[in-house]
Structure formats: structure tokens, C-alpha cells
Amino acid sequence: MMLSQTEENYLKAIYSLAYANSNNVSTTLISEAIKTKASSVTDMIQKLAEKDLVHYKKYQGVSLTEIGQKIAVEIVRKHRLWEVFLLNKLDYNWDEVHELAEQLEHIKSETLIDKLEAFLEFPTHDPHGDPIPDKEGNIKHHNDTMLSSVETGKSCIVIGIKDSSDPFLKFLDKLQIQLGNTLKVISKEPFDNSMLVETTIGSISISNQISKNIFVKNL
Amino acid sequence: MMLSQTEENYLKAIYSLAYANSNNVSTTLISEAIKTKASSVTDMIQKLAEKDLVHYKKYQGVSLTEIGQKIAVEIVRKHRLWEVFLLNKLDYNWDEVHELAEQLEHIKSETLIDKLEAFLEFPTHDPHGDPIPDKEGNIKHHNDTMLSSVETGKSCIVIGIKDSSDPFLKFLDKLQIQLGNTLKVISKEPFDNSMLVETTIGSISISNQISKNIFVKNL
DNA sequence: ATTTATTTTTAGACTTATCTAAATTATTTT
DNA sequence: AAAATAATTTAGATAAGTCTAAAAATAAAT
Ligand SMILES: [Mn+2]
Ligand SMILES: [Mn+2]
Ligand SMILES: [Mn+2]
Ligand SMILES: [Mn+2]
């Protein structure tokens, strides 16, 4: 099946929205993610339904079919492998790779992405800690433990970033928080749910907005 | 100036046709190169003329403006650097890289291609021996000496391939002729202009069709 | 249970890039 | 120089993806 970049972007958006929201994905939600009008989304999901890539009943939202899901995961795989390439080989920063990967993920080839994967020595996660699906589409999601839920006095390791937006990543750079870092929760402030955290550069105060967007593994 | 992939492809086609034909490029020639109808080409060149990327007078064909030329060379640069990447880093064969580079050359980024160039350690030529333009758009064309014009008894080095089509490259693979190889012309057959050539695997007969598509440097 | 507000879909229009068929201009041949 | 042929352009149509505005359906509020 030969899909346009636009169709691929819709499938990818539906995939991540479905993952974040669990139930059927609404037209409006997609339109916000893709930055189009709801009417355009309706047109497209009807086209995708026609191609058996989404389940769709009028006014009920959509969910991916098995084949739709498979394609979406393939695009996620490409996206994340390209991100690794840009960071590891071309010296980009982790806040710069996403935009470029949005283009590179649409390169069509039977062999390219597997060769790229081998060249990168089979990375398991992208620069933001997101898992990279394997060739067969298997993907190991990390358990959603956020820094915000770590108990006082306990330590943890940063394994991922939920919000991979440019400003958030730049902010983490400023705090010198990176994947693999060990963080220790010194105290929590009940008033605004901020926490005092021991990092590699000393103890800093982190707002709840930040701490609930950092995936960690408890030690 | 933000151009579509299609517009970029037209500029690139006009660039290489102008290089091969020296004078104004005709509508039909472009239509054959891009595999569209002549009427589509007329539409597009009028659009490109509107954007000051080509000089165009009705029925007179087109030539690139300075800015059009600059953009075309940038695309050629991207194309050839991606070809090098695919061959050197991802282990593709020289007959497989062109198709993929046709897609990769359209990735939009201010920084990507320069970082890629550095990563590849500033290659000067692509896998087919074509020169890679530098950041400023300077390009050193090799002097057009073809194997067919090498005198009997003289030796030469293969420095490029004029026809970079899949079947021709595969054929050269079969003859084990590669860039950098030394070839010695043993004899020429006046009847069909074929020549007996000493190669790395022994002496073989090469037709004029072949020998006039191989760029060489005389020793 | 109505009314109101929100979401979703339809209808019609626009843009880009393409095509076919017809008209126009340029080039060759006689 | 006129006729025939070839190349080029115009006119009108189509498909993909988007938009606005209006209609229809669903959800929320009274
Ligand atoms: Mn990303
Ligand atoms: Mn990522
Ligand atoms: Mn090429
Ligand atoms: Mn090449």
C-alpha cells in the first residue's frame, strides 16, 4: 500500500492520540494534533476508512485497524531511528532532532531503515527515551512512573521525557538533566507539588509541571 | 524561497539538461526527463518564470536564472552527498543509491547537509564519480575524456560514469570495472569502434556504447 | 424533556500538479 | 512560398488536500 505523507501523518497522529487516550480518537483531537480544521479531518478519516486503515462510524471517532496500526508503528520506528542518527552521528542536540525526523520518517524504501538501524547498532530508545519498535513492529513501552510520584528520600534514574517539545528539552538542558541521570527527591512541597531534587549540579526546585513530564525508574 | 519537491525536480532537470545541451532547454526535453506531458511542463516553467527561477520567452525554451541555478546546484549537492552516505555508511551498492537520493535530496534543513558533509569527511565525488558542489555552490567538473578516445597502447584511470543508469552500473559490476581502476587499451576495432581493454580481471572487449560512457584520466 | 452549546459532517470553493484535446506558433519539406 | 509536420501553448477537466460556511448530530445544561 502506497500512502502519501499526509496519510502517514494522520495514521501517526491517531496512533499516539489513541495511546494517550485509550478510547476512540475524536475528530477535534486529530485536527489539533495535525493543525488542520475538523472538516479536513473528516475527509481524511473517511478516505482512510475506505482503505481499511481505520475503523470509523460517523460521529464516533476512529481507531486504527490492525494494518493501520502496523503502518503507524513503522513510521514511529523510522522517526525514532532517524532521531538517533541525527543525534549520534550528526551531532544534533535532542531538541533539534524531532523536526527533521518529521521529514525523514516519510522516505520510502524497503531496506533503508533496517540498514540505518544496523549502522546505528540497534538502538533500543530514541534521544527522548522513547522505545524504538523492532522490525516486526514489537515495541516495549516503559512503565509510566513519573518523577512527580517518586517518594521523598528515594532515588531514581531518568529514562524518558513525556513532553518532547523544544522549550521543555531546552529547559532540561539548562538544568543539566539528561537521560541516565540519577535524581534524589529531597523534599516535596504540598502547596504546589513542587519538589527539591538532588541532581548532578546540586539540589534544585522542580515544579510539578516539570516532574510529571519526566519518566523515571525507581532505584 | 520555499519550493515544492516538484519545483525542485524541474530546476534540477533543467540544470542537467542545460549542462548536457549548452543552449536553451526545450519543453519536450524537460517533459521527457521528468516524465510528464509537454503541457504540464509549460505550466510549470511559467510558474518558475513568475518566481524568477528561469528565463522564459514563449516558444523559446528556458534557462536558469542565477538564483535558479544556485538552487539547482544545492539540490545536486544534497543528492550526491546522500549517495555517498548510502554507499559508504549503509553499504548500498552504487546502482541502488540514486533512487533513494531522489527522495533524500528534498529534505529541507539549513544545517543538515553541511553536518552530513562533515560526517562523511568532505567527499569530493559521489559514487558515480560526479563532483560534489561545495557549500558555496562551486563545482569542479571533470574534463570530458572518455575511454573511447584513449589511444591504443595508452593507459588511463576510471574517474566517472556518464550514464548512471541501473543496468549500466550493474553491467560494469559484472566486468568488475570500478572507479579508480586502471585500464589499458590494447587494440581498437575500426569496424564497430569496440576496443580490447586490459582490466583487473584480464583483457575484455568493450563496445563503443560502453567506452563512450566512461570518464577517464589519461596516465 | 426541552433548550442550548458543542462536535461532527456536508457542500461548495480553492490550490497544486497533472492530463487530454484543441489551438497556435515554429520548423521542415516540397 | 506554400503546405505539411512538429513543437508549444491554451483551455478545460481531474485528484488530493485544504478551507469556510452551513447543516446535522451529539452532549450538556436548564
Ligand atoms: Mn520525535
Ligand atoms: Mn523522540
Ligand atoms: Mn544520482
Ligand atoms: Mn551520482
Side-chain angles (χ1 to χ4, degrees), chain A residues 14-180:
Chain A
I14 295 166
Y15 174 78
S16 59
L17 290 170
Y19 180 71
N21 299 274
S22 75
N23 40 1
N24 273 16
V25 180
S26 78
T27 302
T28 324
L29 221 53
I30 299 171
S31 81
E32 283 161 3
I34 301 242
K35 290 180 176 59
T36 52
K37 301 295 166 178
S39 57
S40 306
V41 173
T42 302
D43 283 347
M44 181 53 83
I45 61 187
Q46 287 173 347
K47 198 171 130 195
L48 294 176
E50 199 61 47
K51 295 188 179 185
D52 284 316
L53 298 170
V54 297
H55 298 294
Y56 170 62
K57 262 186 283 184
K58 273 190 187 178
Y59 297 97
Q60 304 299 127
V62 288
S63 62
L64 293 173
T65 62
E66 207 164 324
I67 169 77
Q69 171 103 8
K70 196 172 158 289
I71 294 170
V73 172
E74 272 168 21
I75 303 165
V76 168
R77 170 172 156 81
K78 291 195 212 174
H79 180 101
R80 292 179 181 168
L81 282 167
W82 277 115
E83 284 190 345
V84 172
F85 169 72
L86 294 170
L87 190 103
N88 290 4
K89 303 296 181 180
L90 298 197
D91 277 328
Y92 276 100
N93 197 283
W94 72 344
D95 61 310
E96 305 174 300
V97 299
H98 177 79
E99 280 300 294
L100 259 167
E102 290 286 313
Q103 293 183 62
L104 289 160
E105 70 191 9
H106 299 294
I107 300 292
K108 260 82 170 177
S109 164
E110 291 284 311
T111 51
L112 178 60
I113 208 63
D114 296 336
K115 279 176 173 279
L116 182 66
E117 183 185 35
F119 176 60
L120 299 171
E121 295 174 86
F122 300 93
T124 55
H125 295 82
D126 82 0
H128 316 103
D130 297 310
I132 297 174
D134 71 15
K135 212 175 151 155
E136 278 73 40
N138 307 306
I139 177 169
K140 290 199 202 83
H141 300 283
H142 44 226
N143 38 340
D144 296 7
T145 313
M146 311 317 296
L147 174 58
S148 54
S149 67
V150 173
E151 287 169 47
T152 307
K154 293 276 170 73
S155 288
C156 61
I157 293 180
V158 178
I159 60 165
I161 304 300
K162 193 173 191 180
D163 168 12
S164 293
S165 74
D166 213 81
F168 185 52
L169 296 173
K170 283 209 171 80
F171 180 68
L172 292 177
D173 276 347
K174 211 175 291 175
L175 301 181
Q176 294 192 43
I177 293 177
Q178 302 176 338
L179 297 191

Side-chain angles (χ1 to χ4, degrees), chain B residues 4 6-7 10 35-37 39-40 43-44 47 59:
Chain B
S4 69
T6 309
E7 290 171 317
Y10 273 89
K35 290 180 176 57
T36 52
K37 300 294 166 177
S39 56
S40 306
D43 283 346
M44 180 55 84
K47 198 171 129 195
Y59 298 97

Side-chain angles (χ1 to χ4, degrees), chain B residues 13-92:
Chain B
I14 295 166
Y15 175 78
S16 60
L17 289 170
Y19 181 71
N21 298 275
S22 76
N23 40 358
N24 273 17
V25 179
S26 77
T27 302
T28 324
L29 220 53
I30 299 171
S31 80
E32 282 161 4
I34 301 241
K35 290 180 176 57
T36 52
K37 300 294 166 177
S39 56
S40 306
V41 173
T42 302
D43 283 346
M44 180 55 84
I45 61 187
Q46 287 173 348
K47 198 171 129 195
L48 294 176
E50 199 61 46
K51 295 188 179 185
D52 285 316
L53 298 171
V54 298
H55 298 294
Y56 170 62
K57 263 187 284 185
K58 272 190 188 180
Y59 298 97
Q60 303 299 127
V62 289
S63 62
L64 293 173
T65 62
E66 207 165 322
I67 169 76
Q69 172 103 5
K70 197 173 158 285
I71 294 171
V73 172
E74 273 168 21
I75 303 165
V76 168
R77 170 172 157 81
K78 291 194 211 174
H79 180 101
R80 292 179 181 170
L81 282 168
W82 278 116
E83 284 189 345
V84 173
F85 169 72
L86 294 170
L87 190 103
N88 289 3
K89 303 295 181 179
L90 299 197
D91 278 328
Y92 276 100

Side-chain angles (χ1 to χ4, degrees), chain B residues 37-219:
Chain B
K37 300 294 166 177
S39 56
S40 306
V41 173
T42 302
D43 283 346
M44 180 55 84
I45 61 187
Q46 287 173 348
K47 198 171 129 195
L48 294 176
E50 199 61 46
K51 295 188 179 185
D52 285 316
L53 298 171
V54 298
H55 298 294
Y56 170 62
K57 263 187 284 185
K58 272 190 188 180
Y59 298 97
Q60 303 299 127
V62 289
S63 62
L64 293 173
T65 62
E66 207 165 322
I67 169 76
Q69 172 103 5
K70 197 173 158 285
I71 294 171
V73 172
E74 273 168 21
I75 303 165
V76 168
R77 170 172 157 81
K78 291 194 211 174
H79 180 101
R80 292 179 181 170
L81 282 168
W82 278 116
E83 284 189 345
V84 173
F85 169 72
L86 294 170
L87 190 103
N88 289 3
K89 303 295 181 179
L90 299 197
D91 278 328
Y92 276 100
N93 198 283
W94 72 345
D95 61 311
E96 305 174 301
V97 300
H98 178 78
E99 281 299 294
L100 260 167
E102 290 286 314
Q103 294 183 60
L104 288 160
E105 71 192 7
H106 299 294
I107 300 292
K108 260 81 170 180
S109 164
E110 290 285 311
T111 52
L112 178 59
I113 208 64
D114 296 334
K115 278 175 175 281
L116 182 66
E117 183 184 36
F119 176 59
L120 299 172
E121 295 174 85
F122 301 92
T124 56
H125 294 81
D126 83 359
H128 314 103
D130 297 311
I132 297 175
D134 70 15
K135 214 176 150 155
E136 279 73 40
N138 307 306
I139 177 168
K140 290 199 203 81
H141 301 283
H142 43 229
N143 38 340
D144 298 7
T145 313
M146 311 318 297
L147 174 57
S148 53
S149 66
V150 173
E151 288 169 47
T152 307
K154 292 277 171 72
S155 288
C156 60
I157 293 180
V158 178
I159 59 165
I161 305 299
K162 193 172 191 180
D163 169 12
S164 293
S165 74
D166 214 81
F168 184 52
L169 295 173
K170 284 210 171 79
F171 180 69
L172 292 177
D173 276 346
K174 210 176 290 176
L175 301 181
Q176 294 192 44
I177 294 177
Q178 302 176 339
L179 297 191
N181 281 178
T182 301
L183 302 178
K184 184 176 180 182
V185 178
I186 297 168
S187 66
K188 292 186 181 183
E189 187 53 63
F191 175 63
D192 64 352
N193 290 313
S194 70
M195 41 170 59
L196 199 62
V197 176
E198 180 72 35
T199 74
T200 41
I201 57 161
S203 49
I204 52 181
S205 171
I206 288 181
S207 72
N208 187 243
Q209 244 243 275
I210 304 297
S211 63
K212 73 180 183 208
N213 273 298
I214 299 178
F215 289 115
V216 297
K217 190 173 70 188
N218 281 302
L219 277 180

